[in-house]
Structure formats: structure tokens, C-alpha cells
Amino acid sequence: DTGVSQDPRHKITKRGQNVTFRCDPISEHNRLYWYRQTLGQGPEFLTYFQNEAQLEKSRLLSDRFSAERPKGSFSTLEIQRTEQGDSAMYLCASSLVRDSPKLFFGSGTQLSVL
Amino acid sequence: GEDVEQSLFLSVREGDSSVINCTYTDSSSTYLYWYKQEPGAGLQLLTYIFSNMDMKQDQRLTVLLNKKDKHLSLRIADTQTGDSAIYFCAESMESNTGKLIFGQGTTLQVKP
């Protein structure tokens, strides 16, 4: 069990650019979640997958955001035409369906949009 | 709508007990959680409690749930400097989905 891994740890980009983050869940975890955390706040749910199927998306996830989990293992979160308001920590978590109360979080990707 | 509230800051002396409080609004919550976040790190699951339980103890941690008042607390016995962190309370929005609503977090400062 190597834990949830996220890459990169930090990303600085200019407004209008596209960015993509990657998350590798704990091996054999079939659920994968994306959360967003802004400074001084708790994480907010964005979306989650069960295997390769994206089961739910929050209203927070605008059309500029897209998440994929093509083979049911790692996931990517892409933000197109970034805005300064997208600056946040993007957290990934994973769990087993049969043990769904236990979410394990990665260290996050800190995005700064200049 | 759903909301989770916590006090923002708590300061204790090393060796004392810490009690972090949380209130939530969704009476249909199935699980309630406590997570710990250290600077620059992700969230570490400390413990969770099923909504039909009143109390759960795990080593130095004791969770108390008052479902009538929608109040959750985390007690840390013999608090150490390594316990200094931000503690988040969270409730599950829907059973068996892992969609959580988090509070703002309580910063625990432990003075030597």
C-alpha cells in the first residue's frame, strides 16, 4: 500500500492556459474522488468514479473542468482556460466500495493561476 | 442545505486533553469523520463513527456523537506537540458514496 499519489505537487500557470493533474489511487481501490480546497476552507467535493464510470459531478465542476479514469486505475483532472479563481489545492482520494466510509487522500496538487 | 461548522482555533498545553467540537445540519448523515491535515500535506483519516453509535474510542482519540443535537466532538488525550495540525470534521452526504461535506477546520496549537 503506497498511498494515493498525485502529480505534480505544485503547478503555476498563467490565466487562460490549460492544466492537467494526475492521481494514482491505492492499488485495488475501485472508487476515486476529486476534491478542491481553498485557503482556510475544508475540501469541497467535485466528482467521483467507480472503476471507469464517472458517477457524479458537483455543480462546482464547470464546463472547463473534465475528469477521466479511462482504465479504472489512475485519473486525470483537466482545467481548460484557467482563471484566477481556480487557484486551490486539488485533492484526490480513493476507497473500496465495500469499505466506502474510509477515504484515503493524497497530498494534493497546489494550483496557482497568475 | 447541508452545513458543518467548527470553531477555528484551539490552544492547549502539552499533556492536557484537547476537545474539538463540530455541529452539522444533515440529520440523514450516515457517517461522521475526523481528518487531520498537517502543513503542505493531504488529509489523514483519524477516525469515523456510524450515526447509530454514541461513542468510539481508538487509543488517545475519543469521538462522541450527540445525534439529537447534531454535535460531534473529538477528544485527544495527553496531547503532544505532534498533534498540532488542522482538524476537519466531515459528514457523509449520501450513504455509501464517499461524498463528504467538510467543516472549515479547527487549528490545534499545542504549546510545550
Side-chain angles (χ1 to χ4, degrees):
Chain A
D1 180 355
T2 57
V4 178
S5 177
Q6 291 189 246
D7 183 67
R9 287 296 309 276
H10 304 275
K11 178 70 177 178
I12 300 173
T13 191
K14 292 184 180 177
R15 191 175 52 185
Q17 298 293 306
N18 299 344
V19 294
T20 301
F21 312 139
R22 177 180 169 122
C23 171
D24 287 90
I26 293 171
S27 179
E28 297 179 356
H29 276 196
N30 39 22
R31 283 205 175 151
L32 186 148
Y33 307 82
W34 286 99
Y35 282 77
R36 180 173 70 187
Q37 184 180 21
T38 53
L39 197 62
Q41 302 297 317
E44 295 173 296
F45 169 80
L46 293 178
T47 188
Y48 86 101
F49 293 83
Q50 182 162 315
N51 300 314
E52 65 274 8
Q54 188 172 17
L55 295 188
E56 189 158 347
K57 294 193 288 187
S58 162
R59 289 191 301 269
L60 293 174
L61 214 63
S62 77
D63 291 345
R64 296 184 297 105
F65 288 70
S66 62
E68 293 182 344
R69 195 183 183 200
K71 296 181 181 178
S73 56
F74 73 91
S75 174
T76 57
L77 177 67
E78 181 184 16
I79 309 174
Q80 296 182 324
R81 304 181 303 282
T82 51
E83 301 173 357
Q84 287 186 324
D86 297 331
S87 295
M89 173 80 84
Y90 290 84
L91 293 163
C92 177
S94 69
S95 72
L96 285 166
V97 173
R98 67 170 185 266
D99 202 12
S100 59
K102 290 185 182 176
L103 263 68
F104 295 90
F105 282 82
S107 297
T109 294
Q110 181 67 53
L111 173 65
S112 297
V113 182
L114 305 179
Chain B
E2 304 94 352
D3 197 15
V4 177
E5 294 193 357
Q6 304 177 233
S7 53
L8 295 182
F9 186 78
L10 176 66
S11 180
V12 301
R13 293 224 170 265
E14 192 173 18
D16 288 349
S17 292
S18 307
V19 180
I20 302 172
N21 295 299
C22 168
T23 57
Y24 61 97
T25 57
D26 189 353
S27 58
S28 63
S29 293
T30 50
Y31 290 95
L32 295 126
Y33 302 77
W34 286 103
Y35 280 87
K36 175 183 179 182
Q37 187 174 38
E38 296 181 80
L43 280 76
Q44 175 192 352
L45 176 62
L46 290 177
T47 187
Y48 64 94
I49 187 168
F50 190 49
S51 58
N52 67 355
M53 296 170 65
D54 298 323
M55 185 182 90
K56 182 177 181 182
Q57 189 155 1
D58 184 1
Q59 300 182 333
R60 292 190 298 122
L61 304 179
T62 303
V63 177
L64 295 178
L65 175 60
N66 181 329
K67 199 169 180 181
K68 174 175 168 289
D69 294 338
K70 299 189 186 118
H71 182 266
L72 183 74
S73 67
L74 175 69
R75 178 177 181 270
I76 306 173
D78 186 26
T79 315
Q80 303 297 306
T81 53
D83 295 324
S84 294
I86 302 175
Y87 290 80
F88 290 96
C89 167
E91 61 173 343
S92 61
M93 293 167 65
E94 297 168 19
S95 176
N96 198 34
T97 64
K99 289 166 57 181
L100 306 183
I101 297 180
F102 285 83
Q104 287 180 280
T106 299
T107 298
L108 175 64
Q109 179 189 66
V110 183
K111 296 179 180 177

